[in-house]
Amino acid sequence: GNSRGFLSMGGSHTLEKFFNQVAADVDDPQTNVSLKKRLKARLAINGNKRQQAETRERSDVRLYPLGSGSDYTPFLQHLGIASANLAFSGEGNGGSYHTLYDTYEHYTRWRDPNLAYGEALARVAGRATLRLANAPQLPFEFVAFADNVALYIQELEDLIEKMRKETQIQNAQLDEGIFELALDPTKSLKAPKRQAEVPHLNFAPLKNSLAQLQITAEKYNQTIGNGTLSAKDQTSVNQMLYMTERKLTRSHGLTGRSWYKHHIYAPGFYTGYGVKTIPGVREAIEIREFDEAGKQVTIAAEVLDSLTRQIKAILTLTAT
């Protein structure tokens, strides 16, 4: 799927700072500025309002959360192994994937002339691989993870509030008989069914767990994230660091699809590759199973608590 254009970075948010550092160290083959700088320029012009603001207010570009893909799904969603997906896109003509036009000639003429972005992708992936393989201390970082989870929780609150207002309006229209007046009586289309009122969901457990994670993540950055540990401590810390993504999984998996065990990222039940963040809560809200949504809030809070305990264990280890 690679082509000419801008670097697309998706993955576990614990690797967000790491991939931003890599993107800052590789130049774009067309403009000779860093891939990160060119990507931020694109977001400043073509991004949504939040993305445009973040190009000025946030030093790093967010990794997009991963939904499904045959390369990384078993590792991330089933096993809880921090993963990433990299490609260039935005300026190459598409439409050739899985067709008889998916040829070397078509690719080099329309998608990536001179294979310039194929080489750039190799520089990004190769640099990332070498840094991970040779890093004395694995470059996992948790402040960015917590910041992204805060965004997802806000999205959940906005989602249920929007649903509440829309339900109230639609039920009022049903009571007033507006649909019957607006619909063509000679057609079979009928008014929607009345929906139960949307309750106020208690997000406090999830937000409290997030607050503790944010405090612990900041402390980790201040005391361990500077890479000044002894060789012995680094070995022990690395063994605990690469297990942090596992803390976001549960053996029982998601409701109705136990194979998907990650409770922060998952493909949507009906969206194919498309991602759902904090999926247990989000999808329960979307199908109006509000009691289930409350249970899933507790589970999501528990996985954040599990990650916080792992980071605290690292801090305790290095303090002794």
Side-chain angles (χ1 to χ4, degrees):
N2 200 55
S3 66
R4 186 170 66 91
F6 304 87
L7 179 61
S8 173
M9 303 184 291
S12 305
H13 295 307
T14 53
L15 294 172
E16 185 172 285
K17 182 165 289 295
F18 169 69
F19 277 106
N20 271 267
Q21 290 170 342
V22 172
D25 290 339
V26 179
D27 284 345
D28 176 78
Q30 292 183 131
T31 61
N32 296 320
V33 301
S34 75
L35 297 175
K36 180 179 178 179
K37 185 174 183 179
R38 188 162 194 239
L39 177 56
K40 292 192 77 169
R42 185 194 195 193
L43 293 173
I45 300 300
N46 296 320
N48 58 39
K49 289 183 178 180
R50 175 182 57 76
Q51 291 171 328
Q52 290 176 355
E54 286 182 349
T55 59
R56 299 183 298 273
E57 301 165 359
R58 200 171 188 270
S59 61
D60 288 335
V61 176
R62 294 184 191 273
L63 300 188
Y64 65 82
L66 295 179
S68 185
S70 59
D71 298 295
Y72 53 76
T73 289
F75 297 98
L76 180 61
Q77 273 99 22
H78 185 67
L79 298 174
I81 297 174
S83 304
N85 191 46
L86 305 167
F88 286 91
S89 62
E91 294 180 337
N93 292 314
S96 61
Y97 188 52
H98 286 331
T99 74
L100 59 84
Y101 301 103
D102 196 0
T103 65
Y104 179 84
E105 180 183 6
H106 185 280
Y107 185 87
T108 53
R109 176 175 294 184
W110 302 109
R111 292 183 64 81
D112 183 14
N114 302 316
L115 301 176
Y117 281 91
E119 180 181 347
L121 183 60
R123 291 180 184 276
V124 173
R127 191 175 296 246
T129 302
L130 289 170
R131 287 188 182 183
L132 282 168
N134 294 294
Q137 183 174 317
L138 290 174
F140 290 85
E141 193 270 345
F142 305 100
V143 171
F145 174 83
D147 181 57
N148 280 280
V149 170
L151 177 65
Y152 301 148
I153 294 173
Q154 184 61 56
E155 289 175 353
L156 293 175
E157 292 184 298
D158 293 343
L159 172 63
I160 198 166
E161 182 62 26
K162 179 183 178 183
M163 183 179 288
R164 182 180 300 109
K165 291 179 179 178
E166 290 177 345
T167 299
Q168 291 171 345
I169 292 171
Q170 182 172 289
N171 285 346
Q173 291 172 330
L174 287 167
D175 292 340
E176 296 165 8
I178 291 176
F179 284 97
E180 286 77 3
L181 297 176
L183 292 171
D184 184 342
T186 66
K187 301 292 178 64
S188 60
L189 187 64
K190 302 297 182 183
K193 293 182 179 180
R194 185 181 183 85
Q195 298 279 11
E197 295 296 329
V198 177
H200 289 272
L201 194 63
N202 180 18
F203 288 101
L206 190 51
K207 295 170 85 169
N208 288 335
S209 295
L210 172 65
Q212 289 302 308
L213 175 59
Q214 289 170 326
I215 293 169
T216 307
E218 289 286 358
K219 188 173 182 181
Y220 174 88
N221 273 12
Q222 294 167 8
T223 59
I224 297 178
N226 53 19
T228 58
L229 298 177
S230 67
K232 179 182 177 181
D233 282 344
Q234 282 178 341
T235 299
S236 300
V237 166
N238 284 341
Q239 290 174 342
M240 299 179 75
L241 278 173
Y242 77 73
M243 295 294 289
T244 52
E245 197 79 22
R246 313 288 204 282
K247 303 302 178 181
L248 303 173
T249 67
R250 285 294 179 270
S251 59
H252 54 72
L254 297 173
T255 301
R257 43 184 179 147
S258 59
W259 189 88
Y260 291 93
K261 301 183 184 303
H262 208 296
H263 281 264
I264 303 299
Y265 320 112
F269 199 92
Y270 297 107
T271 59
Y273 286 169
V275 68
K276 297 285 185 178
T277 52
I278 316 183
V281 181
R282 188 180 296 270
E283 293 195 306
I285 293 173
E286 289 173 344
I287 62 174
R288 308 179 78 91
E289 294 286 346
F290 300 114
D291 288 342
E292 176 65 19
K295 296 175 184 178
Q296 292 296 325
V297 165
T298 301
I299 294 173
E302 288 173 352
V303 300
L304 294 186
D305 290 341
S306 182
L307 176 59
T308 299
R309 287 193 296 271
Q310 182 79 346
I311 302 170
K312 286 182 175 179
I314 295 172
L315 292 169
T316 300
L317 174 69
T318 59
T320 57

